[in-house]
């Protein structure tokens, strides 16, 4: 299992889990690359700043789609592909399922998202862990952490739809995706994730 993505709404504990996975895999002697989206390469991190700062309506949905894909292309070409080619395990905090969920919810057609992904990106995860918490709890956690204001300012109805979008993606691809209940203690979530990845 070499390309693993972690997905979910705001405050679902992705960063905590991914750090735990990276530590556990490093102890097992694996070459692990821990990365994130939007971002993960210098150019993509610059694009991330454009995406996560400013007013909620700063970008329309199509512009957002193009920005996340511009960032992803740079990240994939400069970081992910080379790492996979040398045999490393890549752990990525968010990837194309976030585009399907976030930009899809904003009205971008799914076939356009998938077509750009296929033609401009062309690398799919082997396994995707979707972290799930009730949206109220996720928003509270995200607010406590003081994260990226633009995406977190959208309200509870929005975050409820987002959760449903991630659950639908996971249900449609049960071979690739597993949903983890992230209201459990973080040690339990990590143990479940490690078991799923070694299965
Ligand atoms: P993060 O807070 O998990 O680092 O993610 C930053 C924001 O970027 C998050 O609110 C979701 C958003 N995003 C998209 O809208 N589309 C995408 O394709 C990705 C990867 C992230």
């Amino acid at each position: 299992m070499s390309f693993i993505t972690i997905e979910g709404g705001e405050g679902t504990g992705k960063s905590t889990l991914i750090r735990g996975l990276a530590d556990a895999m490093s102890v097992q002697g694996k070459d692990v690359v821990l990365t994130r989206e939007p971002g993960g390469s210098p150019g993509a991190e610059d694009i991330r700043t454009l995406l996560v700062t400013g007013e909620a309506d700063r970008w329309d949905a199509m512009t957002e789609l193009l920005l996340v894909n511009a960032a992803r292309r740079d990240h994939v070409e400069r970081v992910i592909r080379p790492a996979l080619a040398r045999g490393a395990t890549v752990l990525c905090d968010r990837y194309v399922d976030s585009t399907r969920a976030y930009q899809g919810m904003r009205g971008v057609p799914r076939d356009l998202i998938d077509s750009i992904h296929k033609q401009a990106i062309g690398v799919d995860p082997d396994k995707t862990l979707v972290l799930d918490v009730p949206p109220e709890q996720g928003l509270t956690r995200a607010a406590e952490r003081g994260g990226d204001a633009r995406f977190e300012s959208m309200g509870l109805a929005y975050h409820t739809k987002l959760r449903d979008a991630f659950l639908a993606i996971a249900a449609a691809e049960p071979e690739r995706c597993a949903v983890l209940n992230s209201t459990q203690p973080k040690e339990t979530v990590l143990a479940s994730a490690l078991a799923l990845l070694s299965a």
Side-chain angles (χ1 to χ4, degrees), residues 17-197:
L17 173 63
I18 210 164
R19 277 196 304 272
L21 285 173
D23 289 347
M25 289 176 174
S26 300
V27 167
Q28 291 165 7
K30 287 193 174 131
D31 175 3
V32 179
V33 172
L34 176 53
T35 188
R36 70 166 181 181
E37 291 209 344
S41 62
E45 288 290 332
D46 285 347
I47 297 172
R48 178 189 176 91
T49 304
L50 294 174
L51 278 161
V52 301
T53 57
E55 298 299 313
D57 62 355
R58 181 179 187 184
W59 309 111
D60 78 356
M62 200 62 81
T63 309
E64 224 168 57
L65 174 74
L66 298 170
L67 285 170
V68 295
N69 274 288
R72 181 162 304 136
R73 168 82 193 184
D74 191 67
H75 183 211
V76 165
E77 292 307 307
R78 289 168 197 262
V79 176
I80 295 179
R81 267 188 211 279
L84 294 173
R86 70 164 197 264
T89 298
V90 175
L91 293 173
C92 190
D93 184 340
R94 296 197 185 282
Y95 193 64
V96 64
D97 295 309
S98 282
T99 313
R100 293 179 177 130
Y102 284 85
Q103 280 66 54
M105 267 180 48
R106 294 195 68 196
V108 177
R110 174 63 185 260
D111 60 349
L112 177 61
I113 295 172
D114 288 346
S115 161
I116 292 178
H117 180 69
K118 195 165 173 215
Q119 295 180 57
I121 310 295
V123 177
D124 287 305
D126 298 303
K127 194 84 190 172
T128 298
L129 305 178
V130 176
L131 295 191
D132 186 52
V133 300
E136 300 82 359
Q137 197 173 325
L139 264 178
T140 310
R141 284 203 215 168
E144 283 165 6
R145 188 192 63 200
D148 302 318
R150 177 166 175 264
F151 280 97
E152 283 162 15
S153 64
M154 308 259 199
L156 190 59
Y158 174 88
H159 290 277
T160 304
K161 262 175 82 179
L162 186 60
R163 179 198 200 185
D164 292 344
F166 276 118
L167 293 177
I169 290 167
E173 281 189 73
E175 291 278 293
R176 173 174 68 88
C177 302
V179 178
L180 288 173
N181 172 0
S182 196
T183 61
Q184 302 174 100
K186 61 180 194 291
E187 297 76 15
T188 311
V189 179
L190 176 59
S192 307
L194 284 168
L196 277 164
L197 295 175

